[in-house]
């Protein structure tokens, strides 16, 4: 039986360099990771819940608000994405929003209980100039509200990472999306190594990493755990790990992808929790297709963060009123 040691206690959520004394591992092997993923479900959830409770306050859930600050027209060809210019999707393109409007929406999200404000731009990479300056202004504005700020802008260079850090950016979202072998079947315009290079520059600049993936792209369980192995090999582990379930978009190559059994997202979250005990694990896109009870299973299995708000980037999120009822039923408090 595969199990994970959980002997020593540590304070929640903080990733630091000295993780070795705390059963934090960076050397997961494929057979071990797959064995965790394939454990009998109740055993997997039980082990993940025990690790979750040891490293985190299980009565807390982080609420993040998400906003698309620049929508559509992206030159990349990610097969799942509504915003790629390569696909024929019914989507209104929007140029970069102005910082005042963005910060006003962040203030509104804060009032609704969000602690982190995440801003996404459909760019291949950041270009220096007026637009990047405007994004830096958004970050400073969000931080001035005493909220955490996260952006996802595509690839960055070292100088841009440094400027993001100077603006006070809390975290940078840049997903690996799937395992290294399967990735080229999903995207051809950039490589897995490009993603890893951007993550390294962000981390070198002292910004927390938010990086995870999607299930439902036609990948195997092996591809899923291979992605988790790449994430868990990072030292320290990424501070947050979003787990998305594909939101199928009409007009994308993955519009008709075979839907995955919702218990696979529970397995993915539980395995992420076991392999990266201290990271925040975010139950991200796809919640509106999950029952209340499946979402609760995800939280029991170690998810401790959600996107809260009626829309994700371009697709509807779980309804806010339903989320309020869910949180009320759970009796959890916002972080
Ligand atoms: N262009 C930037 C990038 O690729 O990093 C930022 C935006 S991109 C939309 C952010 C992430 O959203 C993707 O890496 C992917 O994990 C997730 N995502 C995009 N479309 C999705 C979909 N249809 N279903 C689930 N997740 C999706
Ligand atoms: C992440 O992992 N999920 C969010 C956020 N990071 C940027 C994006 C979800 C997008 C879902 C599809 C859409 O709304 O376009
Ligand atoms: Fe562009 Fe990001 Fe969508 Fe890929 S996932 S097409 S890089 S916006």
């Amino acid at each position: 039986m595969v199990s994970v040691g959980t002997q020593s206690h540590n304070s929640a959520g903080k990733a630091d360099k000295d993780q070795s004394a705390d059963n934090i591992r960076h050397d997961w092997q494929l057979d071990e990771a797959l064995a965790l993923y394939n454990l009998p479900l109740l055993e997997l959830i039980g082990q993940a819940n025990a690790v979750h409770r040891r490293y985190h306050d299980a009565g807390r859930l982080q609420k993040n608000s998400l906003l698309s600050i620049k929508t559509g027209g992206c030159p990349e060809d990610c097969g799942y994405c509504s915003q790629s210019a390569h696909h024929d999707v019914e989507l209104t393109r929007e140029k970069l929003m102005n910082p005042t409007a963005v910060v006003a929406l962040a203030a509104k999200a804060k009032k609704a209980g969000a602690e982190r404000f995440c801003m996404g731009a459909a760019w291949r990479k950041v270009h220096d100039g007026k637009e990047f300056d405007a994004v830096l202004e958004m970050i400073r504005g969000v931080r001035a509200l005493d909220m955490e700020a996260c952006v996802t802008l595509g690839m960055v260079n070292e100088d841009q990472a440094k400027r993001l850090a100077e603006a006070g950016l809390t975290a940078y979202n840049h997903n690996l999306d799937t395992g290294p072998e399967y990735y080229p079947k999903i995207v051809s315009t950039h490589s897995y190594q490009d993603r890893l290079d951007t993550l390294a520059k962000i981390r070198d600049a002292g910004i927390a990493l938010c990086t995870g993936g999607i299930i439902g792209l036609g990948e195997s369980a092996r591809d899923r755990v291979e992605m988790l192995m790449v994430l868990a090999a990072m030292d320290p582990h990424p501070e947050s790990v979003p787990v998305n379930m594909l939101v199928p978009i009409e007009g994308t190559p993955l519009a008709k992808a075979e839907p995955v059994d919702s218990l696979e997202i529970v397995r993915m979250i539980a395995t992420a929790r076991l392999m990266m005990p201290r990271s925040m694990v975010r139950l991200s896109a796809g919640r509106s297709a999950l029952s209340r009870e499946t979402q609760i299973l995800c939280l029991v299995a170690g998810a401790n963060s959600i996107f809260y708000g009626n829309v994700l980037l371009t697709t509807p999120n779980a309804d806010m009123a339903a989320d309020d009822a869910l949180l009320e039923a759970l009796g959890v408090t916002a972080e």
Side-chain angles (χ1 to χ4, degrees):
M1 172 94 30
V2 182
S3 68
V4 177
T6 57
Q7 292 87 342
S8 56
H9 186 272
N10 209 308
S11 61
K14 302 271 182 293
D16 60 46
K17 273 278 169 198
D18 180 27
Q19 298 184 342
S20 53
D22 207 17
N23 289 315
I24 303 284
R25 289 183 48 192
H26 301 279
D27 61 348
W28 291 95
Q29 302 300 304
L30 182 62
D31 56 341
E32 294 177 288
L34 257 180
L36 288 177
Y37 188 91
N38 289 321
L39 275 172
L41 188 61
L42 291 179
E43 180 60 28
L44 175 61
I45 294 173
Q47 288 194 24
N49 185 254
V51 168
H52 183 56
R53 300 181 78 85
R54 191 162 295 270
Y55 288 86
H56 299 270
D57 178 349
R60 285 162 86 105
L61 188 63
Q62 187 190 47
K63 288 201 253 176
N64 305 270
S65 180
L66 187 55
L67 176 69
S68 182
I69 56 172
K70 185 269 169 184
T71 306
C74 182
E76 302 307 278
D77 68 353
C78 310
Y80 51 77
C81 188
S82 62
Q83 306 201 66
S84 165
H86 296 259
H87 316 321
D88 190 12
V89 173
E90 220 174 280
L91 178 79
T92 313
R93 294 183 184 185
E94 306 277 356
K95 54 186 196 332
L96 188 68
M97 289 178 70
N98 90 57
T100 315
V102 170
V103 177
L105 289 170
K108 206 169 146 203
K110 184 181 177 179
K111 268 209 177 130
E115 304 116 65
R116 176 174 286 198
F117 196 67
C118 310
M119 297 165 273
W123 288 332
R124 166 180 165 80
K125 63 175 185 180
V126 170
H127 293 279
D128 292 325
K130 272 210 314 234
E131 295 207 318
F132 186 42
D133 294 344
V135 172
L136 296 173
E137 195 180 328
M138 293 172 199
I139 294 166
R140 286 191 291 267
V142 171
R143 297 295 286 138
L145 295 170
D146 208 17
M147 293 180 90
E148 295 181 0
C150 180
V151 292
T152 177
L153 313 170
M155 295 182 245
V156 297
N157 64 33
E158 277 162 37
D159 180 61
Q160 291 161 345
K162 198 168 133 253
R163 292 178 69 198
L164 289 166
E166 282 164 4
L169 186 68
T170 314
Y172 195 88
N173 170 247
H174 200 66
N175 290 341
L176 291 178
D177 284 326
T178 190
E181 269 177 48
Y182 196 62
Y183 196 69
K185 297 210 165 61
I186 299 299
V187 190
S188 75
T189 48
H190 57 255
S191 68
Y192 214 67
Q193 192 58 49
D194 289 330
R195 300 300 274 183
L196 294 170
D197 290 348
T198 291
L199 290 169
K201 285 170 198 154
I202 292 292
R203 185 152 257 178
D204 285 349
I207 300 166
L209 295 187
C210 172
T211 177
I214 312 182
I215 70 167
L217 306 174
E219 77 288 347
S220 63
R222 181 185 167 135
D223 296 313
R224 291 176 197 154
V225 303
E226 281 179 348
M227 179 190 82
L228 293 178
M229 286 167 61
V230 176
L231 295 173
M234 294 177 188
D235 187 5
H237 290 158
E239 287 75 7
S240 46
V241 178
V243 178
N244 297 277
M245 205 167 74
L246 178 71
V247 179
I249 314 260
E250 210 46 62
T252 63
L254 287 163
K256 300 279 181 286
E258 184 71 30
V260 293
D261 185 322
S262 57
L263 293 178
E264 294 297 311
I265 196 165
V266 180
R267 286 191 178 276
M268 189 67 181
I269 285 171
T271 310
R273 170 53 66 227
L274 289 170
M275 291 173 70
M276 293 171 281
R278 284 177 162 176
S279 305
M280 300 293 290
V281 175
R282 182 167 310 128
L283 171 56
S284 302
R287 274 198 308 122
S288 48
L290 298 177
S291 72
R292 181 178 72 156
E293 288 70 20
T294 308
Q295 294 184 60
I296 292 173
L297 271 184
C298 291
L299 302 179
V300 173
N304 54 357
S305 169
I306 57 167
F307 285 118
Y308 177 73
N310 290 327
V311 277
L312 292 164
L313 289 174
T314 67
T315 64
N317 191 16
D319 179 75
M320 274 169 92
D323 277 353
D324 290 338
L326 172 67
L327 298 186
E328 173 83 26
L330 290 170
V332 300
T333 52
E335 290 233 315

